[in-house]
Amino acid sequence: MEYILIFISAIFVNNIVLSQFLGICPFLGVSKKIETAIGMSAAVAFVLTIATIVTFLIQKYVLDAFGLGYLQTITFILVIAALVQMVEIILKKVSPALYQALGVFLPLITTNCCILGVAILVIQKEFDLLTGVVYAFSTALGFGLALVLFAGLREQMSLVKVPKGMEGTPIALITAGLLAMAFMGFSGVV
């Protein structure tokens, strides 16, 4: 039951983008087309889940064991950077079209505060490994859901006439705010 609550909470109630405001850069940058949003969601899900496992193990068996907790942030950033490089190499070989579509936003996963934030939150909330992985994967699904929904809304907005002063970023930010308000409706669920 605990895992179901974590799953629902991380996706809908405490969505990492819409209620915690982590991962805004790719949320706004890669949300112009649904295809690129899905690709970014998959890449973030993979990196987030693997990074959580690796950082959890490093925290428990290296940093805590040797009293090096003060190196947590820099260590986690290095692990995330290495994982993103691995994803970049794999995408370049497996799906060159997706690699091109993601462009500069793929290396930006390295600095995506969503990934670092979740890795640190798993440690701060004192989750065990399995609970941490469920939380990370659920958070990645929540990130992907918000990203794909927002991309769909932006694709629809490109088909309608928007006042000149609201074109581009202003209407995107207003839409993101409305989407965040819609997700607030789930706050009584868990």
Side-chain angles (χ1 to χ4, degrees):
M1 188 65 175
E2 177 189 0
Y3 298 126
I4 294 170
L5 290 175
I6 289 172
F7 186 78
I8 292 170
S9 175
I11 294 174
F12 299 109
V13 179
N14 297 319
N15 187 286
I16 197 81
V17 176
L18 300 175
S19 71
Q20 296 182 27
F21 307 112
L22 295 174
I24 296 292
C25 179
F27 179 71
L28 293 173
V30 187
S31 61
K32 291 181 182 167
K33 293 183 179 178
I34 291 178
E35 294 82 26
T36 55
I38 292 171
M40 178 59 95
S41 299
V44 166
F46 177 76
V47 171
L48 186 57
T49 306
I50 300 300
T52 299
I53 294 169
V54 174
T55 56
F56 180 88
L57 294 173
I58 288 173
Q59 179 73 38
K60 294 298 177 195
Y61 297 111
V62 177
L63 299 179
D64 288 348
F66 295 107
L68 300 171
Y70 60 91
L71 293 174
Q72 180 188 57
T73 304
I74 192 73
T75 304
F76 286 12
I77 289 171
L78 291 173
V79 167
I80 292 166
L83 289 170
V84 170
Q85 289 299 314
M86 184 178 73
V87 168
E88 214 173 336
I89 291 168
I90 291 169
L91 273 182
K92 200 174 202 179
K93 299 266 188 211
V94 174
S95 179
L98 180 59
Y99 176 78
Q100 286 291 356
L102 292 174
V104 71
F105 293 102
L106 190 57
L108 285 179
I109 293 176
T110 303
T111 58
N112 186 345
C113 55
C114 166
I115 295 172
L116 179 61
V118 169
I120 291 173
L121 282 172
V122 165
I123 302 299
Q124 286 179 345
K125 292 182 179 194
E126 297 180 0
F127 287 151
D128 59 20
L129 183 59
L130 182 58
T131 307
V133 170
V134 169
Y135 176 72
F137 185 71
S138 301
T139 301
L141 289 178
F143 176 83
L145 176 67
L147 189 62
V148 171
L149 284 174
F150 190 56
L153 290 171
R154 287 185 77 177
E155 279 188 3
Q156 289 298 313
M157 282 189 309
S158 69
L159 302 175
V160 298
K161 186 168 174 57
V162 176
K164 186 118 176 117
M166 297 297 291
E167 290 177 353
T169 305
I171 195 70
L173 291 173
I174 290 170
T175 305
L178 291 171
L179 187 59
M181 286 174 56
F183 269 68
M184 283 176 58
F186 292 113
S187 62
V189 174
V190 178

